[in-house]
Amino acid sequence: VDITARTIAPALSEILGQQVVVENKPGAGGFIGTLGVVRAPPDGYTLLLGSSGSIAVGPALDKNAPYNPTKDLTAIGPIHEAPMVLSVSPKGQIKNFADFTAKAKAANSAVSIGSAGNGSSQHLALELLALKMQLKLTHIPYKGSGPAINDAVGGQIDSILDQVIASIGHIKGGTLVAIAQSGNTRSALLPGVPTFQELGAKDVDILTFTGLFGPVGMPAAVTDKLTAALKQALATTAVKERFTSLGVDIMNLDRTAFTQYVAKDFATAMAIGKAANIVINQ
């Protein structure tokens, strides 16, 4: 989200005619930063660069979620969506998805798989994969993608499921081997890596998204201006080239469609959480 925010901020600054400042407020899986926007004056001057984790997954799985994304935020517009990639260490015995599923279905075996943390989008996706394919996966949650990737590279865990943005450097460098990816089509960055659907894991097509949000109650004229500015920023050459290099796809949805997209993602996260019995912050 930091990379995304700093990619669009210069373009938004130029379009709006005033400085757009990126302020990171980490903590509690994005809840702290999100609550700061939920509670801000609805004047359009305090906005949220929201992601799947903070907007849909976190509040869907938290028994005491401090906000409801469909009621407490205004969806201004989408930015991009990106696939997740399942990777293994080249040092390990798992070389492809067939090896992965064979080990995860063996009678006295299980596959350890790392994620960016309990209740993260990655956690949700791996639980969905386990449910759909009837796999025995031992989830190893980390405090962020970085530590999880490091242990996967070092062979301390069998595998990792993470956003392509986080993993692509290691995949290209040969310290991780990508064996499957989410989405309906293959990422342009990973054209040789099959999708879960191609490999027989149907409906495991979870993508992560980012978008721009504000507090509820913003005047229509303010929301319209911000939506138009975001769309214009995403059409600039610099922004398009940067996102292409990261392997993400700019989303082309109007505000109404994006609002519906967020609501659907939130509902899907709740359904998967219930089916896999995932509850955080009990």
Side-chain angles (χ1 to χ4, degrees), residues 4 7-8 11 77-83 165 187-188 207-211 227 229-254 258 261:
T4 298
T7 298
I8 66 169
I79 299 176
H80 62 63
E81 60 183 4
I165 301 171
S187 166
L207 302 171
T208 58
F209 74 85
T210 60
T227 298
L230 176 62
K231 186 174 182 179
Q232 191 176 342
L234 293 174
T236 62
T237 300
V239 170
K240 289 194 294 185
E241 289 180 348
R242 177 58 169 154
F243 286 153
T244 297
S245 73
L246 293 172
V248 299
D249 296 317
I250 292 175
M251 297 173 69
N252 184 25
L253 297 175
D254 62 29
F258 181 55
Y261 178 102

Side-chain angles (χ1 to χ4, degrees), residues 83-240:
M84 294 192 194
V85 58
L86 177 64
S87 304
V88 296
S89 169
K91 303 174 184 177
Q93 296 180 341
I94 298 174
K95 304 300 182 184
N96 50 47
F97 192 67
D99 291 343
F100 178 86
T101 55
K103 183 176 180 182
K105 288 184 177 182
N108 298 311
S109 182
V111 172
S112 59
I113 183 166
S115 81
N118 275 322
S120 63
S121 298
Q122 296 91 328
H123 180 196
L124 197 76
L126 69 88
E127 294 290 357
L128 179 62
L129 176 63
L131 285 170
K132 294 291 184 181
M133 297 289 290
Q134 297 183 324
L135 305 177
K136 290 181 290 183
L137 301 180
T138 301
H139 176 221
I140 311 294
Y142 289 81
K143 292 183 177 179
S145 294
I149 289 174
N150 289 338
D151 274 8
V153 168
Q156 281 79 31
I157 54 176
D158 294 321
S159 59
I160 182 172
L161 186 66
D162 210 339
Q163 296 179 34
V164 66
I165 301 171
S167 300
I168 192 62
H170 289 279
I171 294 168
K172 288 187 175 296
T175 53
L176 282 177
V177 177
I179 59 175
Q181 60 181 308
S182 67
N184 293 319
T185 58
R186 299 184 183 190
S187 166
L189 291 183
L190 298 171
V193 179
T195 66
F196 287 116
Q197 290 192 31
E198 290 178 76
L199 293 164
K202 295 182 179 180
D203 301 321
V204 184
D205 55 358
I206 288 183
L207 302 171
T208 58
F209 74 85
T210 60
L212 196 63
F213 299 81
V216 292
M218 291 194 301
V222 172
T223 307
D224 289 345
K225 184 174 182 178
L226 290 169
T227 298
L230 176 62
K231 186 174 182 179
Q232 191 176 342
L234 293 174
T236 62
T237 300
V239 170
K240 289 194 294 185

Side-chain angles (χ1 to χ4, degrees), residues 31-49:
F31 280 7
I32 292 175
T34 303
L35 276 173
V37 175
V38 168
R39 295 167 177 168
D43 54 13
Y45 285 92
T46 303
L47 305 175
L48 172 70
L49 199 297

